[in-house]
Amino acid sequence: MDKIKTDFTDKELRYLLKRGVSEIIVEQELVQLLKSGKKLRLKEGFDPSTPDIHLGHMVGLRKLRQFQEIGHQVVLIVGDWTAQIGDPSGASITRPMLSAEQVKENADTYMRQFFKVVDRAKTEVRWQSEWFGKFSLADVIRLTSKFTVAQMLAREDFNNRFHANKPIAVTELLYPMLQGYDSVMIQADVEFGGQDQKFNFLVGRELQAMIGQKPQQCFMTGLLVGLDGVQKMSKSLGNYIGVDEPPHEIYGKVMSLSDSTLIRYFDLLTDVPDEELAELNRELAGGKTNPMELKKRLARDLVTQLHGADAAAQANYHFTRVFQKREMPEEVEEIKVNPGEDIRDALVKAGMVKSKSEINRLIQQGAVSIDGAKIESAIMSYRDGSIVKIGKHRFVKVVITEGD
RNA sequence: GGAGGGGUGCCGGAGUGGUUAAUCGGAACAGUCUGUAAAACUGUCGCCCUGACGGGCUACGCAGGUUCGAACCCUGCCCCCUCCA
């Protein structure tokens, strides 16, 4: 079958183990594993209560892909049991229990996005319920007796909350143990995730050792800052770019990134070589390169990865035309207008604006034009085929129709 | 079992009887500028009528009440949260 790559140049190793990587425990052991020729089992878990993947997650998925390309096996775990506990974050300690159908649906959604980056053919999907579904109280006691409260409190988040007199649910203490047990069940060689997963990964490592398995390596990827350029990309902060978003949306969001985050994005999300990145960075600092051009390159690269080269070219064209040149897009939505009807009403009806008050406000702000002429008052003359422009990039074509 | 805090506009969060469609921040939208859907700056940001001036209506968990007048006071109900044991 697939050949497993065992000979690496220093450069290749550096790319695999440094680029976009935050920490590896234990790096030397991982290097040995890679060179041993063993087909490694790479564990990645996810919580089916949050099925959307964004670029922040993509950093890790790209790593999985890279390991697949040198012959290794990804094992994706659907955390249908741990999802009921909620990963201890302090913010939300109680989560609604999801129905079985809901979990299934979320899992499908997640996987559809996951496999945009990761190779499905080299992935084994496992559900926690395969083993936890049969767990008895005796099993729970056996598992929990392997750890002490002090060990669990070593986790930074628990520790903080403990000392701040904030609640820690008993089930939350269970979370790392369950996640660790997954590693035992699938005999993971390496577990992948963000830096915030370190504690859970280490619990898995210990548990495997106790049971007589070779402890897994912990592979933690770097954090991506979100659109605001300050906080980490996360769904709850709303500063994310979803893997599932349409091409022009991804492209546009990349273009709105703050300049200072550009290189980091290249670093974490593209294959542009380190030397070239360093060079680009120098040019940027020296003002030799226009950040916009670089952003376009980044946007094209990312859209290509997620939607293919054609979509990327199209998104690029669309952006240049609509946003840079402020021309009409190739396709303009049409709205039906009855003869003599106030066009404002038609715009509201078509959902172009939220309310008549809003369109009035926009007119006052000088944001509306018809056939290139700015509208000063609410009296708008138009004819069949007129192009109404609202703001910088909302266009609509008037179609006059009789009836209703 | 005991003690206490709170539910306000898309979100966060002021306001504790009139001058409050409701300070402020964020998001969003628009305008100016620009190398960019970056940044910066300015403005808008409940709904309806009006070209505009202006006017009307609805809103501060829910339901009542007090008052000339309530997000703010009272009563009941619902819901969140924290601490002690």
Side-chain angles (χ1 to χ4, degrees), chain A residues 96-152:
Chain A
M97 292 263 278
L98 296 173
S99 67
E101 304 84 70
Q102 189 67 56
V103 169
K104 175 80 174 62
E105 199 185 311
N106 287 353
D108 286 345
T109 304
Y110 182 92
M111 285 189 267
R112 195 187 67 242
Q113 300 173 33
F114 185 81
F115 291 125
K116 281 186 171 209
V117 181
V118 179
D119 185 349
R120 188 189 284 268
K122 294 175 185 166
T123 302
E124 171 184 328
V125 178
R126 305 290 297 271
W127 291 64
Q128 277 183 324
S129 47
E130 288 173 37
W131 44 91
F132 289 137
K134 315 195 259 275
F135 239 50
S136 68
L137 182 57
D139 291 321
V140 174
I141 292 171
R142 206 171 301 130
L143 175 63
T144 50
S145 67
K146 293 184 191 300
F147 294 93
T148 67
V149 171
Q151 275 176 297
M152 290 302 135

Side-chain angles (χ1 to χ4, degrees), chain A residues 347-348 351-359 394:
Chain A
L347 289 170
V348 173
M352 287 299 293
V353 289
K354 274 208 295 287
S355 65
K356 202 159 171 181
S357 297
E358 180 167 279
I359 184 69
R394 268 180 282 176

Side-chain angles (χ1 to χ4, degrees), chain A residues 317-335:
Chain A
Y317 175 71
H318 181 264
F319 178 84
T320 308
R321 178 165 174 153
V322 178
F323 296 105
Q324 289 195 289
K325 297 189 184 157
R326 303 215 174 153
E327 288 169 0
M328 270 202 301
E330 312 79 82
E331 283 174 28
V332 180
E333 217 177 301
E334 298 184 345
I335 55 164

